[in-house]
Amino acid sequence: MKKFKLLITLSVLLLQSCTSQSKKINGISFVASREAVNQSHIKPVVNLNANYAAVMPFGFIKNLNHPDIVFNTNRQWFGETKEGAKQYIEELYKSNIKVMLKPQIWVWHGEFTGYIEMKNKTDWSVLETSYSKFILEYAQLAQEMKVDIFCIGTELEKFIENRPNYWKNLIVKIKQIYKGKLTYAANWNEFNRTPFWSDLDYIGVDAYFPVSHSKTPTFNECLKGWKTHVKTISKISNKNKKPILFTEFGYRSVDYSGKEPWKSDRSMYQVNLEAQTNTTQALFETFWKEDWFAGGFIWKWFHNHSKSGGDNNSQFTPQNKPVEALIRKQYHLK
């Protein structure tokens, strides 16, 4: 009888473990393109065993001190607009892929959004009005399409630091429109200062933490490089009693991929597929087993799979590289 009870207990624990793993968000960041997508573009996402995709429409700002956000214009690529985001979501749904809608700001010339900062109160007020219009319109789309997660912003550190009350009030307005789960995509060196985690469902982190200074970082080296970061990440999760979601994660297939993973400099062009694979494997090994970790979205995935990535590509995408097989295996685990 005792043995029977023990077997039942072990079976329950195993089932709970499997259930916990299967509930991980195994996502991709689905890059907006010039055109509409169809099931031929979604099939490779399914083949990766992904269960989520981040759909990312864009708004544009002229420079870091400019308060007006331009969005939903006929000058944008289709996938960057509201119409395009809706079409992408509809196609993803046909293959049972869940969605995080993640509207983002792009500063002309690719300047870092975390440095967006106005010079006076008038401009701050204009920016707040403009951003509210931008994000609330997409909150309405998120509700209309019943997406599972809505991301209220991406890497906007100075904006949040200077205007915390605006963000608190904005979250209230978003919740009046959208009834699903909320997150914010904080940069890797910002998330421990973000003031409104208690108001959201996930602590979102763009996980470009440095883990190695080596030209070709080894798996074990990267595991060691994560140790200090994991302590900080789990501490923030425990403090706020919220799960961690990697709103972006991934590495370039380039030399020194673990040193400054956020860099997208075109001067870094020496392809290193092993570096990308080792760094990614260490991230999976470090986080996917943790109960306080919800999962994440690999950066980044292009709609035209057969023409993306490849062995000569030094950028972030895992497509048609050895790391794609690693991700497929990890996302298949139950």
Side-chain angles (χ1 to χ4, degrees), residues 199-244:
D199 300 319
L200 306 181
D201 298 285
Y202 297 104
I203 296 171
V205 184
D206 287 356
Y208 302 112
F209 297 84
V211 293
S212 167
H213 285 80
S214 297
K215 181 177 180 180
T216 303
T218 67
F219 169 66
N220 287 328
E221 193 177 356
C222 295
L223 284 180
K224 185 177 179 181
W226 270 114
K227 286 184 177 180
T228 301
H229 301 311
V230 169
K231 290 179 182 177
T232 304
I233 295 168
S234 61
K235 183 178 178 181
I236 297 296
S237 176
N238 291 332
K239 177 183 176 183
N240 292 278
K241 295 180 172 55
K242 305 284 182 178
I244 300 293

Side-chain angles (χ1 to χ4, degrees), residues 253-291:
S253 48
V254 71
D255 286 347
Y256 301 100
S257 62
K259 185 178 180 181
E260 296 173 308
W262 59 88
K263 281 194 171 182
S264 56
D265 298 8
R266 295 200 177 275
S267 61
M268 299 167 62
Y269 58 84
Q270 192 62 49
V271 175
N272 191 328
L273 301 170
E274 184 181 355
Q276 184 182 41
T277 301
N278 290 347
T279 47
T280 304
Q281 184 180 6
L283 185 146
F284 282 142
E285 178 65 25
T286 301
F287 289 98
W288 250 253
K289 61 189 177 184
E290 298 293 346
D291 291 337

Side-chain angles (χ1 to χ4, degrees), residues 70-295:
V70 177
F71 66 101
N72 280 336
T73 73
N74 56 14
R75 296 177 63 188
Q76 291 179 248
W77 285 6
F78 177 72
E80 296 173 344
T81 67
K82 184 178 178 180
E83 181 186 359
K86 182 177 181 179
Q87 195 269 331
Y88 283 20
I89 293 167
E90 289 172 340
E91 286 299 315
L92 288 160
Y93 279 177
K94 289 178 184 177
S95 292
N96 298 314
I97 303 293
K98 295 180 179 180
V99 170
M100 175 174 72
L101 184 58
K102 186 169 176 267
Q104 296 186 210
I105 300 298
W106 178 263
V107 185
W108 264 272
H109 307 300
E111 293 182 274
F112 178 47
T113 53
Y115 297 148
I116 292 172
E117 190 171 20
M118 301 300 105
K119 295 181 177 180
N120 54 63
K121 289 183 178 180
T122 300
D123 284 351
W124 275 119
S125 180
V126 173
L127 176 62
E128 289 173 356
T129 300
S130 187
Y131 192 82
S132 293
K133 184 179 179 182
F134 170 69
I135 208 69
L136 292 176
E137 184 162 332
Y138 282 107
Q140 291 172 347
L141 178 63
Q143 180 62 24
E144 176 190 342
M145 301 303 294
K146 293 181 171 55
V147 303
D148 284 75
I149 307 171
F150 183 62
C151 185
I152 68 171
T154 298
E155 298 177 3
L156 296 169
E157 181 179 359
K158 289 293 183 182
F159 190 176
I160 293 168
E161 182 182 298
N162 281 278
R163 314 297 282 187
N165 291 334
Y166 162 77
W167 283 88
K168 283 278 188 178
N169 293 330
L170 178 64
I171 291 168
V172 171
K173 292 177 183 177
I174 290 170
K175 287 182 176 181
Q176 291 170 349
I177 296 170
Y178 171 72
K179 305 306 177 183
K181 303 288 187 181
L182 293 176
T183 191
Y184 162 73
N187 199 26
W188 70 274
N189 58 355
E190 168 197 358
F191 79 102
N192 58 342
R193 298 186 302 280
T194 304
F196 46 69
W197 291 133
S198 61
D199 300 319
L200 306 181
D201 298 285
Y202 297 104
I203 296 171
V205 184
D206 287 356
Y208 302 112
F209 297 84
V211 293
S212 167
H213 285 80
S214 297
K215 181 177 180 180
T216 303
T218 67
F219 169 66
N220 287 328
E221 193 177 356
C222 295
L223 284 180
K224 185 177 179 181
W226 270 114
K227 286 184 177 180
T228 301
H229 301 311
V230 169
K231 290 179 182 177
T232 304
I233 295 168
S234 61
K235 183 178 178 181
I236 297 296
S237 176
N238 291 332
K239 177 183 176 183
N240 292 278
K241 295 180 172 55
K242 305 284 182 178
I244 300 293
L245 175 64
F246 282 174
T247 35
E248 295 176 19
F249 75 92
Y251 301 89
R252 289 180 59 184
S253 48
V254 71
D255 286 347
Y256 301 100
S257 62
K259 185 178 180 181
E260 296 173 308
W262 59 88
K263 281 194 171 182
S264 56
D265 298 8
R266 295 200 177 275
S267 61
M268 299 167 62
Y269 58 84
Q270 192 62 49
V271 175
N272 191 328
L273 301 170
E274 184 181 355
Q276 184 182 41
T277 301
N278 290 347
T279 47
T280 304
Q281 184 180 6
L283 185 146
F284 282 142
E285 178 65 25
T286 301
F287 289 98
W288 250 253
K289 61 189 177 184
E290 298 293 346
D291 291 337
W292 46 262
F293 182 74

